[in-house]
Amino acid sequence: DNTKIRLVTIGLSHYCEKARWGLDLATTKYVEDAHPPGLSAFSTLKFSSGKQSSVPLTVDYSSSTPVILGDSSAILEKYAPFLYNDSDPAKDAEIKQWEEYFDSHLGPTVRVYLYNLMLNPGYFPTLCTVASTGASLVDSVLFKLILKYGGLDQRMRTAMEVNDEKAQISQDEIRAIFRKVGQKLKTENNTYLLGEKFSAADLTFASLASVLIMPTQLNQLYQFDKCPIKVQKFATELRNTTAGHHVLRCYSQHRFAQYDKKIQQVAITPLTSEYLSRKVVFKTYGRNKNINLLRNLGVGVLGVVMAGCASFGYSKLNHE
């Protein structure tokens, strides 16, 4: 495989979808190394020489010395610079201000709201199914084990401060963010957040909101039909807002688009039936990657489970 870029992710992470979308827009050839929550640190710590446990993380082998990027915004700016505006410093600064606002406010609140529901034992089977999409068979088995027997659910709740009270506060903040975005779109009567050009601000908002808006393009990744009914009802509420319509439009027109050098912006893809039927899939080596590890699974499972739990506590699931 001549692929020069490896994208390490937690498959269901909305921050990872942000990085994935940017790489796709730039038509950058990459392979995704997807993991369930709590197990990605084995890869990120290895590739970063122990310096980083969070995702997304890219490893670029294009040069003699691999280049590591461990932040969704840094990955986006590196591989999709056309989503910013170097020719207009003021506009570029505004794009980055909105991007940072969504990264620091929308991303964490969406995460707390969803995990508070999904970490209830009744939803463990659904969480295992969704979290294992695109992951290796070994990772899938280990995630089920540490979730059921290793106390991973409580570690995740502690690391991310997930509880009923925080989830309610997060849901209220999500609604406030959607109102703010809707108001900006209405007041300025723009197609996008900052004028008539799809930018990093739009992509960041859409990707971080995607796990709640549930665009059809991501259904194979997130399997929305298996989500709790409460989440699906909240998704319906958000989709019926101006901001929700914006997320759906960004996904329908730009998720599979490419940068057009002639017009110097991301093109709007014609909404043909073939295009609308496309779905985002993981560009991984498949569920059998790392299959050789199964030879050691029977002997080493206890040690790996303990290491997985410990690494999760270290990483604190900082998906940025």
Side-chain angles (χ1 to χ4, degrees):
D1 192 341
N2 296 320
T3 303
K4 300 295 184 181
I5 298 174
R6 176 182 292 269
L7 173 66
V8 184
T9 67
I10 288 175
L12 55 75
S13 166
H14 47 349
Y15 287 107
C16 293
E17 164 60 8
K18 173 184 173 181
R20 185 187 298 118
W21 192 348
L23 289 170
D24 287 343
L25 284 178
T27 64
T28 302
K29 187 178 181 182
Y30 68 95
V31 65
E32 183 168 348
D33 186 6
H35 301 272
L39 296 175
S40 60
F42 290 113
S43 289
T44 54
L45 288 170
K46 179 183 72 173
F47 290 124
S48 66
S49 300
K51 297 178 182 179
Q52 177 169 329
S53 59
S54 60
V55 293
L57 178 142
T58 54
V59 187
D60 192 331
Y61 297 101
S62 299
S63 58
S64 57
T65 301
V67 176
I68 309 294
L69 292 177
D71 175 85
S72 60
S73 295
I75 293 169
L76 199 64
E77 190 167 10
K78 165 71 174 179
Y79 295 104
F82 47 80
L83 293 173
Y84 299 85
N85 196 329
D86 291 339
S87 62
D88 187 338
K91 181 72 72 174
D92 192 58
E94 191 175 3
I95 290 173
K96 292 177 179 178
Q97 286 173 1
W98 277 100
E99 181 180 21
E100 171 59 26
Y101 171 70
F102 295 136
D103 278 344
S104 59
H105 290 81
L106 181 60
T109 53
V110 167
R111 187 167 59 203
V112 169
Y113 172 76
L114 285 175
Y115 273 126
N116 187 58
L117 292 170
M118 298 300 290
L119 288 174
N120 289 317
Y123 289 115
F124 280 3
T126 298
L127 179 58
C128 287
T129 299
V130 175
S132 297
T133 303
S136 70
L137 180 59
V138 172
D139 271 3
S140 301
V141 172
L142 290 180
F143 181 69
K144 291 179 182 178
L145 288 173
I146 60 178
L147 186 62
K148 187 173 182 178
Y149 302 111
L152 180 62
D153 55 327
Q154 292 305 315
R155 291 175 180 272
M156 291 176 72
R157 286 187 177 277
T158 300
M160 297 182 292
E161 299 183 19
V162 173
N163 54 56
D164 290 343
E165 181 181 359
K166 290 291 180 65
Q168 184 58 59
I169 293 173
S170 294
Q171 187 175 29
D172 293 340
E173 185 167 355
I174 291 167
R175 289 188 174 110
I177 293 170
F178 268 64
R179 287 194 296 270
K180 181 174 182 177
V181 170
Q183 187 62 35
K184 179 169 179 59
L185 291 168
K186 287 180 179 179
T187 301
E188 300 185 12
N189 196 29
N190 290 329
T191 304
Y192 302 103
L193 281 168
L194 297 168
E196 297 304 312
K197 183 178 179 180
F198 180 75
S199 73
D202 301 286
L203 185 148
T204 301
F205 175 64
S207 57
L208 298 187
S210 63
V211 288
L212 285 177
I213 294 297
M214 304 183 180
T216 58
Q217 291 80 9
L218 295 182
N219 196 45
Q220 287 187 227
L221 267 69
Y222 298 138
Q223 302 181 47
F224 295 125
D225 58 317
K226 293 182 172 65
C227 288
I229 296 299
K230 189 174 182 178
V231 174
Q232 295 186 39
K233 288 182 177 179
F234 190 35
T236 299
E237 173 192 329
L238 295 177
R239 278 200 300 265
N240 288 328
T241 65
T242 299
H245 292 159
H246 184 61
V247 172
L248 293 172
R249 182 171 64 250
C250 287
Y251 266 90
S252 67
Q253 295 183 345
H254 297 297
R255 185 57 184 85
F256 302 114
Q258 296 179 10
Y259 176 66
D260 189 326
K261 293 182 179 180
K262 292 182 179 180
I263 60 176
Q264 295 188 339
Q265 66 182 50
V266 177
I268 295 178
T269 307
L271 303 182
T272 62
S273 58
E274 180 181 0
Y275 175 84
L276 291 173
S277 66
R278 292 183 65 184
K279 301 290 186 292
V280 177
V281 295
F282 289 114
K283 298 180 179 180
T284 65
Y285 293 120
R287 287 181 57 79
N288 290 323
K289 64 187 174 71
N290 300 328
I291 195 67
N292 289 336
L293 291 178
L294 282 173
R295 298 172 184 173
N296 304 318
L297 184 59
V299 178
V301 65
L302 181 59
V304 175
V305 166
M306 293 175 65
C309 292
S311 70
F312 182 84
Y314 172 72
S315 69
K316 295 187 182 297
L317 217 69
N318 180 26
H319 313 326
E320 295 181 9

